[in-house]
Amino acid sequence: MTDATTAPRVRPPASVVGPWAWLRANLFKSWLSTATTLVLVYLIGRGLLGLIDWGFVNAVWGVPYNAQGVPDTASCHAAKGQGACWAIIADKYRLILFGRFPFDEQWRPAVAVVLFIALYVFSAIKGVWRKGIDSPLLRTAAAIAVVTVLATNVVGWLGGILGLPTVLGDILHLIDIVARYASGVLLLFVWPAIGVWVVVLSAIFVLMAGGVYGLSPVAVDSWGGLPITLILATFGLAFAFPLSILVALGRRSTQMPAVKMICVLYVELIRGVPLISVLFMASVMFPLFMPPGVNVDKLLRAQIAVILFAAAYLAEVVRGGLQALPKGQAEAADALGMTYWQKTGLIVLPQALRLVIPPLVNTFIGFFKDTSLVLIIGLFDLLTMGKIALSDPPWQAFPTEVYIVLALIYISFCFAMSKYSRGLERELNQARGR
Amino acid sequence: MSVTSSDPRIAGARAAPKRGIRFSWSDPLFRAIIWQIVIVGIVVGIGWYLVHNTMQNLAARRIATGFDFLDRVAGIPIGESMIAYDSSVHTYGRALVIGVLNTLQVSVVGIILATIIGTLVGIGRLSSNWLLARLTAFYVEVIRDIPLLLQLLFWYTMLQGLPPPRQAWSIGDTAFLSNRGIKLPLLEWQTAYGFALLGLAAGIAATIWWSRRASRVQEQTGVRPSVWPVAIGGMVVLPLAIWALFGAPLVLDIPALRGFNFQGGGTISPEFSALLIGLVTYTAGFIAEIVRSGIQAVPNGQWEAARALGLRHGVILRQIILPQALRVIIPPMTSQYLNLTKNSSLAVAIGFQDIVSIANTTLNQTGQAIEVIAIIMAVYLTISLSISLFMNWYNARIALVER
Amino acid sequence: MNETATAPSPGRAAGLSTGKPIIEMDKVNKWFGALHVLRDITLSIAEGERVVICGPSGSGKSTLIRCINRLESHQEGRIIVDGTELTDDLRSLDTIRRDVGMVFQSFNLFPHLTILENCTLAPIWVRKMPKAEAEALAMRFLERVRIPEQAKKYPGQLSGGQQQRVAIARSLCMRPRVMLFDEPTSALDPEMIKEVLDTMIGLAESGMTMICVTHEMGFARQVADRVVFMDRGEVVESGTPDRMFGAPETDRLKMFLSQILRGH
């Protein structure tokens, strides 16, 4: 290092640095490279010019409406082939984004979408996943609250089947609500990031469903568009992730062959079949699984399918992390006298999960895209709403425009996430290289 | 490990005694067994509960379970089929078989094309040409960020936007591209082709034999005889010669416009094309990344070491780089092949009649939900299992031996 | 610690004194599948005794000490540590793991925890010690291995020798009665071996019972009360270091020593 500063500075010749040298090295290195460059410049140039002509110069941005509010798309039809008809987006964007949610209440799904994005951004901030206040008392209280919520819901559900007295049901409901708030607040202290997830997801649910705080109730059937896509993907991840950890641990179990077999069967069965068939199963067979008289709405059924599907894939990702951990770590924990759950919770999982964040994000991107498959079972997600917008007679001839806008929405979400995961991966590699 | 090994530590060794179990909570074996009973019990309990409900529901709806419906006449119109099919005669069973064949067809063609395009794009990403590297990177990024279903819908719309048969784009009046699909001339089968194919098979066998011999000769003498003359002679010249011997027969069934549609020739339907284009472009994006990282995973030191040994570029690539890169590439490639096959089920959204689409129609007509979904799952599990078995076998063959 | 390294150690004489046995192994056999890795090992180690186990690679010496804290389980024979027989019983396992500390060849520090957290984790979770107390204890042992100033750093920021010293401190925080060392210096650069050996010598002088798998013959001569030579899963020969290195009886030990010496 010191040599470089004391040695007389000689500028490298222009053939090594500078824009000309860069061009020669990267575009005109050989005759083959030069030919490639020329062909590509021509093709890209033509493509770009055509795209600008179609998308901007010759595009139709708006159309007149007649007295009945029916658009007159003659100008769009005239421009077809030469220019895009963005008027369809101007006309239909609310329908595509928010579905059939009551028009005047559409600020609610809009806020929900913003909350989702904020939640993603928050989760990506470094350090937010650290544990909060280190107090055994708070920890225990939070655990009790969470278990209570689960227990009241399970009991309530069973009660619904078995026919529990109403008074008991009311008491359960009261306990449930108190425990929900308590678990949210306590988790915020004990494990802030998890607490934020619980609180934000609850807030989103309340916003969408309404019925409390003066929000008018909106039936799940009228939800649609982007919120459905985000709900399916995010709730899917939130519930599939814990399940996947258990499955991955089960699959690596050496002492419990029966449990291992169940986990292997589950993972391989789900991964061996397409998501479509799992969704079909949820939409067609799920009603058969339920006791007579119990109806589970379509969204929840699809959500359960997505969770079961996602958990199998995530389990394999988590298992990859568990396998990547050197055996010495578990041995050292054993030698210190830790129990299985201490070893797993304090030593193995914190390291294994950190290793698998990048593939985890990539898997999540996959689910985010895959939620579009609910179109096939007739759920109103973003893509379905796009198709519904296209079924309006005046606009039927302009699917390309709608598909492009939908693609841009998906790309912006996926690109942001994959960029984040690549950044993390680079960091991890550097840390490992050190 | 065989017990009759010659390891001195084993010679005359006793076998390990078996360990018993104590019925105490502090015996890990006992504890594991109790846990397993509990967990298996819960799983079986849930399963029993679901089955119990299902039986009740089926009884209430008067749906008879069983696979008898497979023998009933289907009445499902099927557009394209590799085997003979008449909706008024043939059964659900046959319709489902056609669905499986269609799935296999699009998957096999898709896997081959996606591998070729993906590999090219992956190599393009490593190109020293900046423009090519950026362009392929852009392609990979964008294609992977758009849901496949959206891409399929897009391609299907594009193909439907093609001109009708009367204004079809044609290539020399033999092949036509219209919104009814691609019309291609078909070769009419001649006896000569059979012999030419036999010649080709012989040529392939000869090439394999010669290449093995070349390796042996190389081991003994150090000089490797050229393989390519035998390869060209056996696989190109020989079949062509046989064909010429029979008088080089060539009869084409050329499609021709009759009324509103084409007659004769072979058809690639717009549904099949859209599905194929979508699957291939989408999967190629993922394969490109796999190929790129596979090549990059081979450390630069391997190139340098091989060059320092004086090996030529082609030998380095074939003997040093590719075998190592393949090892990294194969496992993720397997899952991409599986993904492509599973993704072909999206055909149902654009009306290509694969197994899911035909099964779905069957389900709607017969109401046999459980049986039909079981069939779908069984079909895909079989395909998935076959692909992973094959790829595992291949992977094991080329695996690096480590201690 | 140079002076202690060269001076004859006072603890050594104490170690030779008639301590009652803390580890007793009686006809211990172990198999890996069909491979018979430990054969009729009978060994008794007194409290305060320092034993060095040596032997060619694959001789079963690592397996032997891994059996003592049951990282590996033996299939035949008896191992009794501090009055507790090692069985499949989890209660006995808990006791043993608390009483027996282990230092690994590859350190096995937890990379996601700071040095201090590495040391306090087990006392807090296994010994149920209050956090403040555990931290005070950890700092005391980190001072003893002479790296208290690194307490807030992460293992990745330390040199190999420092990491191994932290690993020793981490084990000591559980207040073990026996310490096992599995080739603690094999993964270290030559210049770092000495600092780790010095720490181990210091520990030996404090009267700790130590069983050490190592090839460091200098260390063995200086601190060991007894050297055990293993080959092919058997104890071939054992005795004081002077006797073993000076007048080896068996051919196998002679050959091993000649190979070791040639290596140096």
Side-chain angles (χ1 to χ4, degrees), chain A residues 39-393:
Chain A
V39 170
L40 285 181
V41 164
Y42 173 75
L43 289 179
I44 294 172
R46 269 201 66 167
L48 271 182
L49 285 180
L51 204 64
I52 290 170
D53 269 353
W54 181 81
F56 297 96
V57 180
N58 300 329
V60 178
W61 299 91
V63 289
Y65 292 80
N66 68 12
Q68 284 82 44
V70 177
D72 173 17
T73 53
S75 54
C76 272
H77 279 282
K80 193 160 168 56
Q82 274 81 51
C85 177
W86 297 124
I88 181 177
I89 305 300
D91 190 56
K92 295 288 185 192
Y93 77 96
R94 296 273 293 254
L95 178 72
I96 294 175
L97 283 180
F98 305 126
R100 299 223 172 79
F101 209 86
F103 198 80
D104 294 331
E105 299 279 335
Q106 284 188 358
W107 62 271
R108 280 156 57 179
V111 172
V113 168
V114 171
L115 280 176
F116 269 122
I117 296 173
L119 190 62
Y120 298 155
V121 172
F122 166 80
S123 308
I125 298 172
K126 214 185 269 176
V128 294
W129 289 94
R130 285 211 197 96
K131 294 212 174 122
I133 299 168
D134 187 16
S135 148
L137 193 74
L138 277 178
R139 242 190 336 250
T140 318
I144 290 174
V146 171
V147 171
T148 311
V149 173
L150 291 177
T152 49
N153 278 289
V154 170
V155 172
W157 183 65
L158 285 175
I161 297 168
L162 303 172
L164 224 60
T166 346
V167 189
L168 263 179
D170 287 346
I171 294 174
L172 268 181
H173 188 61
L174 196 71
I175 297 175
D176 184 37
I177 288 179
V178 172
R180 266 176 209 227
Y181 280 106
S183 59
V185 173
L186 286 170
L187 273 175
L188 271 179
F189 285 110
V190 177
W191 206 341
I194 304 267
V196 167
W197 267 70
V198 171
V199 169
V200 171
L201 290 187
S202 312
I204 286 170
F205 184 79
V206 168
L207 258 178
M208 294 295 291
V212 280
Y213 307 121
L215 296 171
S216 59
V218 177
V220 177
D221 295 342
S222 345
W223 301 7
L226 191 52
I228 291 282
T229 297
L230 294 172
I231 285 173
L232 282 172
T234 315
F235 280 80
L237 179 80
F239 286 93
F241 188 50
L243 179 62
S244 74
I245 292 177
L246 291 180
V247 172
L249 289 174
R251 197 174 173 172
R252 273 174 62 82
S253 162
T254 46
Q255 291 201 316
M256 303 204 256
V259 172
K260 183 177 174 167
M261 209 180 69
I262 291 176
C263 293
V264 170
L265 266 181
Y266 164 67
V267 169
E268 295 307 326
L269 213 74
I270 295 278
R271 278 162 42 96
V273 301
L275 175 56
I276 280 285
S277 63
V278 183
L279 285 173
F280 271 146
M281 200 162 142
S283 78
V284 185
M285 277 170 78
F286 203 85
L288 291 177
F289 285 157
M290 289 294 104
V294 176
N295 263 324
V296 180
D297 74 56
K298 228 182 195 173
L299 180 64
L300 186 55
R301 291 194 317 239
Q303 183 72 77
I304 291 172
V306 168
I307 290 171
L308 289 179
F309 188 76
Y313 280 81
L314 290 176
E316 282 301 276
V317 173
V318 172
R319 192 167 71 104
L322 293 175
Q323 261 167 354
L325 207 60
K327 217 171 123 218
Q329 291 292 313
E331 273 180 4
D334 278 338
L336 288 170
M338 293 184 176
T339 63
Y340 175 80
W341 289 109
Q342 285 173 350
K343 178 173 70 177
T344 306
L346 296 169
I347 306 299
V348 176
L349 279 182
Q351 296 185 62
L353 293 186
R354 197 172 303 178
L355 279 179
V356 296
I357 295 175
L360 223 54
V361 176
N362 290 339
T363 316
F364 180 66
I365 295 174
F367 298 138
F368 187 80
K369 290 182 293 174
D370 281 348
T371 55
S372 61
L373 264 60
V374 297
L375 169 117
I376 295 168
I377 57 165
L379 223 62
F380 302 114
D381 79 318
L382 189 59
L383 186 54
T384 316
M385 289 324 296
K387 277 205 91 172
I388 288 177
L390 282 173
S391 61
D392 194 7

Side-chain angles (χ1 to χ4, degrees), chain C residues 48-88:
Chain C
E49 198 178 6
R50 273 89 53 171
V51 176
V52 163
I53 302 175
C54 61
S57 68
S59 58
K61 49 195 194 311
S62 281
T63 311
L64 176 70
I65 70 165
R66 285 161 66 90
C67 278
I68 295 176
N69 71 343
R70 217 174 165 72
L71 280 181
E72 308 282 357
S73 56
H74 60 285
Q75 287 125 350
E76 248 184 41
R78 284 154 61 94
I79 303 179
I80 297 170
V81 177
D82 200 17
T84 313
E85 176 166 4
L86 283 181
T87 59
D88 293 316

